[in-house]
């Protein structure tokens, strides 16, 4: 991998990680369209550490408060009623599905799941799911001609069952094209949570999963055509760009819907299917090496 490739892929990772459009799919597609080798699951997992570092900094006050309350709750029974202490446990519970499934399906994640036909399908299907969830949320928020607006749930109302469902949704993102934020936000909206509440928990929930995945893949960073230097460079680029994107996205969702991302996902999926079916693009483009 050249330094230019690592710069572009780091930029793509930073731009797409927090948007509900799938960063892993865009890394895979960028390489395929440019005629580069597939950067691979290890490169993707490690560069995601850069974007998760952006989450750690952006939500540093929330994270410090949660860790502090959770730690004290281990020895102080009264603290176990505290919302931040409970959030610590809920993040742990929500992280279990992706941890179990990630280890179980590691070979598939690094192989068959990166087929462009599967990526195109997941882009479209999850785009439709996100669109339905967004419409339901908008209907509750604005009401209608014959119905009053209905209050949606906040994170204070998050419980173990909902946390586990969020976690299952996050685990779906092991398949490129699904999108970690897209799946978890969709799940949250369908369960009745507000947009910003679903997004905030989605980002917090991703921290242990991404950091663990990145650490697990460190041993493979120097294999094939991807070396340590370009990987670290891409991770730094992803961090800087990712921080700017997450700041923008959290403001965007307070007043805007997810429909632009829905249309983008569906259009990209259709274009990808047409290119593969017409023979203009191989479903395994770039997989032969690396």
């Amino acid at each position: 991998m050249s330094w230019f490739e690592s710069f572009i892929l780091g930029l793509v990772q930073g731009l797409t990680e927090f948007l509900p459009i799938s960063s892993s799919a865009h890394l895979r597609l960028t390489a395929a369209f440019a005629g580069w080798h597939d950067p691979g699951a290890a490169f993707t997992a490690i560069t995601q550490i850069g974007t998760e570092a952006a989450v750690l900094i952006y939500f540093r006050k929330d994270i410090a408060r949660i860790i502090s309350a959770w730690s004290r709750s281990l020895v102080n029974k009264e603290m176990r009623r505290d919302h931040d202490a409970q959030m610590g446990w809920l993040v742990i519970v929500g992280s279990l599905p992706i941890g179990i499934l990630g280890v179980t399906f590691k070979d598939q994640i690094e192989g068959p799941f990166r087929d462009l036909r599967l990526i195109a399908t997941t882009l479209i299907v999850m785009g439709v799911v996100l669109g339905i969830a967004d419409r339901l949320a908008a209907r509750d928020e604005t009401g209608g001609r014959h119905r009053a607006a209905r209050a949606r749930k906040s994170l204070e109302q998050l419980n173990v069952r909902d946390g586990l469902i969020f976690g299952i949704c996050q685990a779906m993102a092991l398949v490129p094209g699904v999108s970690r934020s897209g799946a978890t936000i969709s799940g949250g909206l369908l369960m009745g949570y507000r947009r910003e509440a679903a997004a905030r928990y989605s980002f917090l929930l991703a921290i242990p999963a991404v950091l663990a995945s990145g650490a697990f893949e460190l041993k493979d960073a120097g294999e094939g055509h991807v070396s340590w230097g370009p990987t670290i460079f891409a991770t730094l680029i992803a961090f800087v760009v990712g921080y700017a994107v997450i700041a923008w996205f959290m403001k965007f969702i307070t007043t805007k819907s997810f429909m632009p991302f829905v249309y983008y996902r569906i259009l990209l999926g259709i274009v990808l299917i047409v290119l593969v079916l017409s023979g203009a693009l191989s479903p395994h483009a770039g997989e032969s090496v690396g």
Side-chain angles (χ1 to χ4, degrees), residues 33-116:
F33 287 144
W36 302 336
H37 300 310
D38 180 0
F43 177 87
T44 300
I46 294 170
T47 54
Q48 284 177 337
I49 293 177
T51 45
E52 286 313 303
V55 173
L56 291 173
I57 294 176
Y58 187 86
F59 291 111
R60 60 189 180 279
K61 293 181 180 179
D62 291 4
I63 294 170
R65 195 175 62 248
I66 290 171
I67 292 176
S68 175
W70 177 81
S71 300
R72 284 180 287 153
S73 73
L74 296 176
V75 294
N76 185 343
K77 292 184 179 180
E78 293 298 320
M79 281 297 300
R80 295 172 189 175
R81 298 191 184 94
D82 184 85
H83 170 69
D84 289 324
Q86 293 173 355
M87 182 60 70
W89 287 112
L90 289 170
V91 169
I92 293 173
V93 169
S95 300
L96 294 177
I98 197 169
I100 295 171
L101 294 176
V103 173
T104 303
F105 295 101
K106 183 180 184 298
D107 292 340
Q108 288 78 8
I109 294 167
E110 295 179 349
F113 284 3
R114 301 182 73 79
D115 188 301
L116 295 182

Side-chain angles (χ1 to χ4, degrees), residues 59 130-142 151-155 166 181 184-203 249-262:
F59 291 111
L130 178 61
I132 293 172
D134 186 72
R135 290 299 189 190
L136 291 175
R139 187 181 66 179
D140 285 347
E141 293 165 356
T142 61
R152 303 209 113 217
K153 293 189 285 187
S154 66
L155 281 186
F166 266 111
S181 65
T184 50
I185 290 173
S186 294
L189 294 178
L190 290 173
M191 287 189 288
Y193 286 89
R194 297 199 303 263
R195 288 188 178 91
E196 59 269 29
R200 184 174 292 269
Y201 183 62
S202 170
F203 294 154
F249 186 64
M250 291 304 294
K251 294 179 181 178
F252 175 86
I253 61 175
T254 59
T255 58
K256 307 292 184 181
S257 80
F258 291 109
M259 293 311 294
F261 304 111
V262 172

Side-chain angles (χ1 to χ4, degrees), residues 105-185:
F105 295 101
K106 183 180 184 298
D107 292 340
Q108 288 78 8
I109 294 167
E110 295 179 349
F113 284 3
R114 301 182 73 79
D115 188 301
L116 295 182
R117 291 166 295 191
L118 178 59
I119 291 175
T121 302
T122 54
L123 282 170
I124 294 172
V125 172
M126 287 306 300
V128 172
V129 172
L130 178 61
I132 293 172
D134 186 72
R135 290 299 189 190
L136 291 175
R139 187 181 66 179
D140 285 347
E141 293 165 356
T142 61
R145 190 172 179 181
H146 302 293
R147 63 192 301 276
R150 185 173 64 179
R152 303 209 113 217
K153 293 189 285 187
S154 66
L155 281 186
E156 282 70 23
Q157 296 168 275
L158 185 67
N159 54 37
V160 173
R161 189 208 69 167
D162 289 356
L164 191 57
I165 293 175
F166 266 111
I168 293 172
C169 291
Q170 178 180 238
M172 294 170 60
L174 291 169
V175 181
V178 170
S179 169
R180 186 189 311 276
S181 65
T184 50
I185 290 173

